[in-house]
Amino acid sequence: MQKHGKCFLQVAIDAVEAGVKIPEADPKVTSVGYGGAPDRDGRVTLDACIMDEHASCGAVACLENILHPISVARLVMEKTPHVFLAGEGALSFALENEFKKTNLLTPEAEANWKKWIKEKKYIPKVDYNTHDTIGMLALDADGNLSGACTTSGWAYKMHGRIGDSPIIGAGLFVDNEVGGATSTGLGEEVIRVCGSHAVVELMRQGYHPAEACKAVVERMLKKSPRKRDEITAGFLALNKKGEYGAYAIKKGYQIAIHSNSEPGVLKDIDFLKL
Ligand code: ASP
């Protein structure tokens, strides 16, 4: 898009879609899109959602053989009267709209899955090293916010399991008057507290994005029947002023920032200490 004689992505929704398409297509990223870990049946099933400044949103879940679930989610938002399509219906919709079928199971992911089956005997045990999701938030030159979230979900999950990532309010929420938030980690726990929506509502009450993320991590722990060391999750938030923050239960998550004052900066996310 042209603005002030320069060519750049002006619209936040275009930025978040283009941004998350990169890890979706990257076989080295083992928790998103192509190269993502399959379910316990060896099927790569993808979940994604997108939300713009008008509170328009779209989502797909349990979508197989499509390289860019985020773009299908955007089409659900733009071309259907619905918000959420799942499984076969989501696949048919994608194919009707000229997406092509692609095998998303890389030889590496298949080899790891076969090893997993042998060791774990097909029982989907909780393994907290197998969680990560890409969530992206953007504030554009006109001050509008959008967000996107995409994942292959909990590695070796039961077939048909859907996590927080494609659920508006859990994996992603944007309110253009306030800010946006997105999550990573154990979706079962994020859903329980409607995590991303909760972060945005705390920002509406005046919390800084980092404080809002921390408060929801603490709420999640309080509400969970799981032991603390059995949960991994984190949130990222951006407010209307361009302030951002993130917080996780465990060490190891990172955020990438790109702004005029911080071009291309990678930061470790602060986490809950003992
Ligand atoms: N949040 C995603 C899910 O629960 C994936 C993850 O980050 O583990 O499906």
Side-chain angles (χ1 to χ4, degrees):
M1 184 165 290
Q2 291 277 335
K3 198 173 184 193
H4 310 309
K6 281 188 182 164
C7 190
F8 59 93
L9 279 172
Q10 184 203 358
V11 182
I13 191 80
D14 293 333
V16 294
E17 181 189 2
V20 302
K21 280 173 79 173
I22 294 169
E24 279 185 344
D26 185 344
K28 293 193 293 301
V29 180
T30 58
S31 53
V32 177
Y34 178 57
D39 65 19
R40 68 177 183 172
D41 296 338
R43 296 163 73 163
V44 180
T45 64
L46 304 177
D47 299 338
C49 72
I50 195 160
M51 188 163 190
D52 74 8
E53 72 263 25
H54 307 294
S56 297
C57 42
V60 289
C62 220
L63 176 62
E64 293 180 69
N65 298 308
I66 297 291
L67 184 61
H68 290 301
I70 198 65
S71 301
V72 185
R74 184 166 177 181
L75 271 195
V76 172
M77 172 176 95
E78 290 176 345
K79 290 202 166 174
T80 78
H82 307 304
V83 165
F84 206 151
L85 294 179
E88 283 299 317
L91 179 61
S92 305
F93 173 72
L95 297 176
E96 279 159 23
N97 284 282
E98 292 174 19
F99 286 81
K100 298 279 171 272
K101 271 193 166 185
T102 315
N103 176 20
L104 301 174
L105 187 65
T106 58
E108 292 76 15
E110 189 174 10
N112 287 336
W113 166 66
K114 285 187 171 155
K115 197 165 150 239
W116 175 85
I117 286 195
K118 224 168 152 187
E119 281 170 6
K120 307 280 181 180
K121 305 195 175 5
Y122 190 69
I123 300 164
K125 291 226 169 86
V126 174
D127 178 349
Y128 297 102
N129 296 320
T130 53
H131 283 273
D132 210 358
T133 289
I134 174 86
M136 187 170 168
L137 303 166
L139 180 65
D140 66 26
D142 292 328
N144 288 320
L145 287 155
S146 287
C149 185
T150 177
T151 189
S152 50
W154 186 346
Y156 318 131
K157 62 197 173 188
M158 290 171 68
H159 182 65
R161 177 268 186 191
I162 294 166
D164 58 320
S165 305
I167 300 177
I168 297 294
L172 174 74
F173 193 70
V174 175
D175 183 326
N176 204 41
E177 290 172 24
V178 179
T182 186
S183 65
T184 186
L186 187 58
E188 281 72 1
E189 297 301 331
V190 177
I191 291 170
R192 201 191 298 281
V193 294
C194 215
S196 294
H197 182 261
V199 171
V200 172
E201 289 310 303
L202 289 175
M203 292 196 292
R204 192 190 308 278
Q205 291 169 30
Y207 282 57
H208 184 276
E211 288 170 356
C213 293
K214 184 169 189 240
V216 176
V217 161
E218 287 167 352
R219 186 185 304 174
M220 198 164 54
L221 274 175
K222 198 172 151 200
K223 299 282 178 199
S224 177
R226 289 182 162 96
K227 294 192 191 100
R228 183 182 154 170
D229 62 359
E230 292 175 340
I231 306 173
T232 179
F235 295 96
L236 163 66
L238 172 68
N239 70 16
K240 193 76 180 162
K241 292 186 265 180
E243 296 166 331
Y244 66 85
Y247 201 82
I249 293 183
K250 287 192 177 139
K251 196 177 172 178
Y253 289 109
Q254 286 187 315
I255 53 169
I257 301 116
H258 188 75
S259 66
N260 290 341
S261 56
E262 291 181 290
V265 174
L266 204 59
K267 286 188 184 170
D268 290 332
I269 296 187
D270 196 12
F271 60 96
L272 205 62
K273 318 289 182 312
L274 282 173

